Amino acid sequence: IDDACFFTESKIFFSNLTDKVIGSVFESLLNIAKIDFHIDRILSYIAEINTASVWDFFEKRLQNKRDAQVGYEAIPYNLYGLGKILAKDADLAIASLRRWYHLGDLMFEFTGGRLIHAVFSKFSLDMGIKLEQIVKDGLDEDLEFVIHILRNYHGEPATHELVKKLIDRLPENDSKIEQLSISLDNTGVVCGKF
């Protein structure tokens, strides 16, 4: 299936698949070690007709990771065309990831948080509005979910208003305030000569 993205008719082909066949495509892609450019393109074609199914596919990859081979990368660090398509619906993106998150999931920052950052490489206004609503109305688990997402944005100025709203929601000595501080101080990866 990897070579299918090279055919000139591949976009038309994938755009006309039934849900059952899309499920079979996802099943065949589930055990592929990494989402490369070719797989990204196939997923992009599918996302154009059924975006929610692609979010579900990544959730299945996470569940599959426990039994997968060495080097299996359930969530890609970067997306190509797929990221642009998934970014068109911030509500669906946040709702899908919120469904994945469970209180105390220390790996979410590196799974769902990494995926949302791959889709929205810059913190978007649409995403900020959706997350702000979660902060306003949410429970403790919802607040932790938002913090895990924010940690992937390494203190970008666009996140600061949301961080302030989170701090306003938290009791004065709450340990989550320290997590927010870390998300603001985080500079990402440093490389090169020191």
Side-chain angles (χ1 to χ4, degrees):
I1 197 158
D2 187 41
D3 294 332
C5 71
F6 291 115
F7 299 124
T8 56
E9 306 293 325
S10 59
K11 183 173 185 173
I12 295 168
F13 172 77
F14 284 104
S15 299
N16 290 308
L17 296 179
T18 64
D19 288 343
K20 183 177 180 180
V21 175
I22 288 172
S24 296
V25 170
F26 286 151
E27 197 63 37
S28 71
L29 298 176
L30 195 59
N31 292 316
I32 290 179
K34 294 183 182 190
I35 304 295
D36 63 10
F37 176 77
H38 306 129
I39 304 304
D40 181 283
R41 181 180 263 178
I42 291 168
L43 293 173
S44 296
Y45 296 149
I46 294 171
E48 287 179 2
I49 58 168
N50 190 342
T51 307
S53 70
V54 176
W55 287 106
D56 293 342
F57 167 71
F58 281 114
E59 182 179 18
K60 287 179 185 159
R61 282 184 65 84
L62 278 176
Q63 294 166 351
N64 188 53
K65 185 176 183 175
R66 288 179 291 241
D67 302 323
Q69 72 270 25
V70 174
Y72 186 80
E73 187 179 284
I75 303 297
Y77 285 93
N78 298 302
L79 294 172
Y80 307 95
L82 178 60
K84 292 176 185 153
I85 295 166
L86 295 178
K88 290 179 183 177
D89 192 345
D91 287 346
L92 177 61
I94 298 298
S96 296
L97 292 176
R98 180 61 192 95
R99 189 182 70 237
W100 301 4
Y101 180 75
H102 303 287
L103 189 63
D105 181 356
L106 300 176
M107 291 305 294
F108 185 80
E109 176 183 341
F110 308 103
T111 57
R114 183 168 84 193
L115 182 57
I116 199 77
H117 189 264
V119 171
F120 299 95
S121 60
K122 297 287 182 197
F123 193 80
S124 77
L125 179 62
D126 289 343
M127 191 170 64
I129 290 169
K130 182 67 177 170
L131 292 174
E132 188 175 312
Q133 190 64 45
I134 292 172
V135 168
K136 180 182 173 199
D137 301 332
L139 303 172
D140 197 49
E141 184 173 343
D142 300 309
L143 301 180
E144 284 204 10
F145 164 74
V146 173
I147 291 168
H148 281 293
I149 287 177
L150 287 173
R151 289 189 64 166
N152 281 277
Y153 288 93
H154 310 294
E156 282 183 23
T159 65
H160 294 182
E161 284 303 313
L162 183 59
V163 170
K164 289 177 191 175
K165 291 183 187 310
L166 267 163
I167 290 171
D168 287 344
R169 278 283 320 269
L170 297 169
E172 190 173 318
N173 294 323
D174 195 303
S175 64
K176 287 186 249 353
I177 293 175
E178 185 177 327
Q179 293 176 25
L180 286 169
S181 174
I182 292 168
S183 77
L184 290 173
D185 291 339
N186 197 348
T187 59
V189 175
V190 177
C191 59
K193 291 185 179 183
F194 299 100

